[in-house]
């Protein structure tokens, strides 16, 4: 009887071991399946290492994309135009950049869809800056009102930087013909021209602008938000029509994670009514942004752009920008905010909060 019980006990142990092995194999298979699924959901985002794109690294660092089964591969550029062209091709999943005439031209051809904002101009926030070379500043170029008669460097014609000059011309009543706009293809080239006094002024994103003035290479003569225009589509997140139509589930999950990142940025730097105010999460969010941009935290804090909650987007702002590019003969084709903003995914902006 004892031998029978011992045999039965050994059989039980063996069966439990087999069951344990099966459970382990099933678990391993499940992990492999999840891993394979995650690998299959790698998406590519083209962007610049600027404050406005920081919702992506925040989402990666804090697991927001992982929670949606998505991994993000970031590819960096120093100007907006190649980002729009790459996304329009359908070979890149998402882009984050300032809006440009070339973006709207591609959109008019049916290639691009707007999904939301990434950074904005708002009172007491700073996304884009007007700078003067040291020589021009000494000669009297002290504010954006003094721009007429000067040469202004930007990365490319028809970008948000170009539009920022247009906003100054409207604010201060000078025609665009009163200034000479010189495209130098990259922020680094613009900074070099400022430092060498080979141009009079420039428009730069807040991060490079602060770094340039801190290094003594140029003088800050104003922020675009100083011209009194709320410009909530300073830069935006977008995708190709091909991706929007063919990968809806992925786009929705991506935007869930992206909006978590945008809300973290909003809550870190904005208080009630959309006013500039540091929140309790500011130090942690600032650390992620500093690592992403390569800027010191104090440099970032001198030029914080507004992050719209949920990355909401204003159709009126988009139409205003389109109208300006068209007025400058920079926009080919017919496009409107209603046609461009993808209402399947984008959330509308009514007021800053």
């Amino acid at each position: 009887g004892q031998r029978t019980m011992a045999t039965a006990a050994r059989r039980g142990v063996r069966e439990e071991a087999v069951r344990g092995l099966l459970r382990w194999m099933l678990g391993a298979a499940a992990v492999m399946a999840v891993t394979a699924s995650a690998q299959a959901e790698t998406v590519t985002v083209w962007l610049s290492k600027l404050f406005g794109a920081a919702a992506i690294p925040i989402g990666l660092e804090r697991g927001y994309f992982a929670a949606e089964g998505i991994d993000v591969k970031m590819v960096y550029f120093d100007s907006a135009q190649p980002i729009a062209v790459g996304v329009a091709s359908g070979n890149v999943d998402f882009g984050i950049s300032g809006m440009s005439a070339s973006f709207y031209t591609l959109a008019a051809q049916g290639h691009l869809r707007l999904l939301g904002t990434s950074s904005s101009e708002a009172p007491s926030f700073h996304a884009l800056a007007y700078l003067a070379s040291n020589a021009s500043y000494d000669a009297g170029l002290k504010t954006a009102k003094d721009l007429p008669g000067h040469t202004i460097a930007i990365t490319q014609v028809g970008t948000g930087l170009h539009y920022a000059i247009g906003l100054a011309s409207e604010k201060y009543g000078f025609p665009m013909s009163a200034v000479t706009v010189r495209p130098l293809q990259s922020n680094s080239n613009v900074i070099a021209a400022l430092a060498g006094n080979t141009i009079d002024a420039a428009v730069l994103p807040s991060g490079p602008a602060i770094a340039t003035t801190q290094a003594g290479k140029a003088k800050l003569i104003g922020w675009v938000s100083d011209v009194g225009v709320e410009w909530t589509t300073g830069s935006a997140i977008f995708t190709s029509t091909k991706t929007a139509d063919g990968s809806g589930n992925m786009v929705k999950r991506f935007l869930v994670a992206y909006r978590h990142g945008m809300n973290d940025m909003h809550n870190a730097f904005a208080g009630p009514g959309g006013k500039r105010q540091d929140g309790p999460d500011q130090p942690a969010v600032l650390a992620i942004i500093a690592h992403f941009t390569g800027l010191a935290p104090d440099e970032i804090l001198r030029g914080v752009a507004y992050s719209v909650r949920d990355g909401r987007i204003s159709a009126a702002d988009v139409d205003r920008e389109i109208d300006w590019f068209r007025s400058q003969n920079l926009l080919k084709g017919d496009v409107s905010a209603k046609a461009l903003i993808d209402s399947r995914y984008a959330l509308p902006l009514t007021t800053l909060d």
Side-chain angles (χ1 to χ4, degrees):
Q2 288 180 343
R3 188 177 301 149
T4 303
M5 289 173 64
T7 301
R10 284 195 297 273
R11 187 184 301 120
V13 169
R14 283 198 301 272
E15 288 173 354
E16 180 57 34
V18 169
R19 281 195 293 271
L21 180 60
L22 283 170
R23 282 195 298 271
W24 180 87
M25 290 172 67
L26 286 169
V31 168
M32 289 170 67
V34 168
T35 302
S37 172
Q39 288 172 345
E41 289 294 313
T42 296
V43 303
T44 304
V45 181
W46 284 14
L47 71 176
S48 300
K49 290 185 177 183
L50 299 173
F51 181 97
I56 301 297
I58 289 170
L60 284 168
E61 178 78 17
R62 295 186 160 185
Y64 300 147
F65 289 105
E68 297 300 324
I70 289 173
D71 190 21
V72 177
K73 178 185 177 184
M74 295 184 286
V75 180
Y76 306 111
F77 291 84
D78 202 20
S79 62
Q81 194 164 312
I83 297 175
V85 172
V87 174
S89 73
N91 297 320
V92 181
D93 297 300
F94 300 97
I96 297 178
S97 73
M99 300 294 89
S100 64
S102 63
F103 175 94
Y104 289 123
T105 297
L106 288 167
Q109 296 167 8
H111 298 308
L112 293 169
R113 307 290 285 172
L114 271 176
L115 303 174
T117 58
S118 60
S119 72
S120 309
E121 297 289 357
S124 73
F125 288 88
H126 306 308
L128 297 178
Y130 303 109
L131 283 78
S133 68
N134 289 325
S136 295
Y137 184 87
D138 291 341
L141 180 53
K142 306 293 188 184
T143 73
K145 191 175 183 178
D146 303 322
L147 286 172
H150 292 93
T151 300
I152 309 169
I154 56 174
T155 53
Q156 290 163 330
V157 168
T159 57
L161 304 167
H162 196 177
Y163 181 56
I165 301 171
L167 293 176
S169 79
E170 291 176 9
K171 167 77 172 179
Y172 300 116
F174 62 84
M176 285 296 291
S177 59
V179 298
T180 301
V181 177
R182 187 172 294 171
L184 298 181
Q185 305 312 314
S186 70
N187 289 330
S188 53
N189 289 345
V190 171
I191 293 165
L194 277 171
N197 294 301
T198 58
I199 45 94
D200 301 320
V203 184
L204 281 171
S206 59
I210 292 296
T212 301
T213 57
Q214 288 279 96
K217 296 177 181 178
K219 296 289 194 300
L220 178 69
I221 59 170
W223 294 99
V224 174
S225 57
D226 293 342
V227 302
V229 178
E230 285 185 4
W231 177 20
T232 56
T233 49
S235 61
I237 184 163
F238 50 91
T239 191
S240 65
T241 303
K242 173 184 171 184
T243 299
D245 291 345
S247 304
N249 179 267
M250 180 273 286
V251 173
K252 287 178 179 175
R253 287 185 291 117
F254 178 90
L255 288 174
V256 167
Y258 175 77
R259 286 172 182 142
H260 280 311
M262 284 296 292
N263 291 344
D264 283 358
M265 291 179 70
H266 178 280
N267 295 336
F269 301 109
K275 302 302 182 199
R276 176 75 179 90
Q277 179 181 313
D278 287 340
D281 198 26
Q282 185 258 51
V285 170
L286 183 62
I288 297 172
I289 297 172
H291 183 261
F292 171 64
T293 60
L295 296 170
D298 65 316
E299 291 178 332
I300 295 167
L301 290 175
R302 287 187 176 89
V304 173
Y306 184 70
S307 301
V308 177
R309 194 185 295 278
D310 293 322
R312 292 174 178 271
I313 190 163
S314 164
D317 270 1
V318 173
D319 275 332
R320 190 182 305 128
E321 191 170 14
I322 288 171
D323 289 345
W324 187 83
F325 284 129
R326 189 175 284 122
S327 76
Q328 301 299 307
N329 297 313
L330 294 168
L331 178 56
K332 299 173 184 175
D334 187 32
V335 67
S336 67
K338 185 176 180 181
L340 178 55
I341 297 170
D342 199 320
S343 59
R344 293 171 295 182
Y345 309 111
L347 299 175
L349 174 67
T350 50
T351 58
L352 300 183
D353 61 354

